Amino acid sequence: MTKYYLRQRHSIDDGVNIVFDSDFKASYLVSGRSGKKSDELHVQDMSGNVLVRIRQTSYGILPRFTLNYRGHIVGSISFTFGHLGDIVYVRHLGWLVSGNFIANRYLIYHNTKKLLSVKPESRPDGIYNQLTVTFDSQAPVHIAIAALLDIWGVKSNPLTAIKWLPGQNRTYKLTTRIH
């Protein structure tokens, strides 16, 4: 199992996101956006070669995406009503994504084999999603799916303005009025 660290995105337009390995050396680049039809997310190696593309094929309440790995469409993802905290199925690959996407805590399974686990981790320079990948050859695809779910968790969460984990720089002052 290999661990990767993907910085959590707090906005859709955060630009390029660097994925680090367990020694915190840069391993992959994630770029692109999601939210409109034909938007794409890319996972690239450090030489700039695009390994994975997730292309949005529909938009609205129930968006759909195609998953392209090394030039071949290998799967598709579509969100359904109640997708937050529930299940997403990756068609053609037979992967089941289960957990809480807003909290960035979820697992990807194929049958009974765990392929990926994701959980947030606070580091001195920000909050990262720690991705534990079972098979290294699948790492770029899992990173792409984790990046997509991170963006959709941000878009779907009305509480993203409130920073819940330690290490986030914003502080909020709560006031109450007594009548």
Side-chain angles (χ1 to χ4, degrees):
M1 288 196 200
T2 306
K3 291 187 182 195
Y4 293 97
Y5 296 90
L6 173 68
R7 183 186 293 272
Q8 284 187 2
R9 293 178 80 160
H10 300 290
S11 156
I12 306 307
D13 299 315
D14 279 347
V16 176
N17 202 347
I18 300 172
V19 180
F20 299 96
D21 64 9
S22 57
D23 297 326
F24 242 74
K25 293 180 185 172
S27 298
Y28 297 99
L29 300 171
V30 177
S31 62
R33 58 180 291 127
S34 175
K36 297 178 183 172
K37 190 173 178 182
S38 299
D39 279 352
E40 287 187 347
L41 283 175
H42 305 113
V43 175
Q44 304 169 353
D45 61 15
M46 293 310 293
S47 301
N49 300 319
V50 176
L51 304 174
V52 179
R53 292 178 194 270
I54 294 184
R55 183 172 184 264
Q56 189 162 346
T57 57
S58 73
Y59 58 95
I61 296 173
L62 303 174
R64 288 187 304 268
F65 304 87
T66 57
L67 184 59
N68 188 310
Y69 179 63
R70 297 188 185 258
H72 302 286
I73 294 177
V74 296
S76 65
I77 301 170
S78 60
F79 293 118
T80 59
F81 287 115
H83 77 277
L84 301 175
D86 278 343
I87 294 172
V88 171
Y89 185 70
V90 182
R91 288 175 187 82
H92 307 297
L93 291 175
W95 293 357
L96 191 65
V97 186
S98 170
N100 188 329
F101 306 141
I102 290 176
N104 285 309
R105 290 185 179 275
Y106 53 89
L107 304 166
I108 295 180
Y109 283 96
H110 178 73
N111 295 330
T112 59
K113 181 69 175 169
K114 182 169 60 170
L115 303 176
L116 173 76
S117 67
V118 177
K119 66 179 183 177
E121 181 176 311
S122 183
R123 301 192 61 89
D125 61 336
I127 298 175
Y128 289 79
N129 288 333
Q130 179 190 71
L131 285 67
T132 305
V133 178
T134 302
F135 301 109
D136 287 337
S137 62
Q138 297 174 348
V141 177
H142 290 301
I143 290 168
I145 292 171
L148 176 67
L149 293 176
D150 186 37
I151 289 172
W152 277 93
V154 167
K155 288 180 81 168
S156 302
N157 186 358
L159 300 174
T160 54
I162 299 173
K163 305 303 178 188
W164 297 99
L165 294 174
Q168 293 177 319
N169 297 343
R170 294 188 186 170
T171 57
Y172 292 92
K173 189 175 186 181
L174 298 175
T175 60
T176 59
R177 293 183 185 203
I178 301 174
H179 296 287

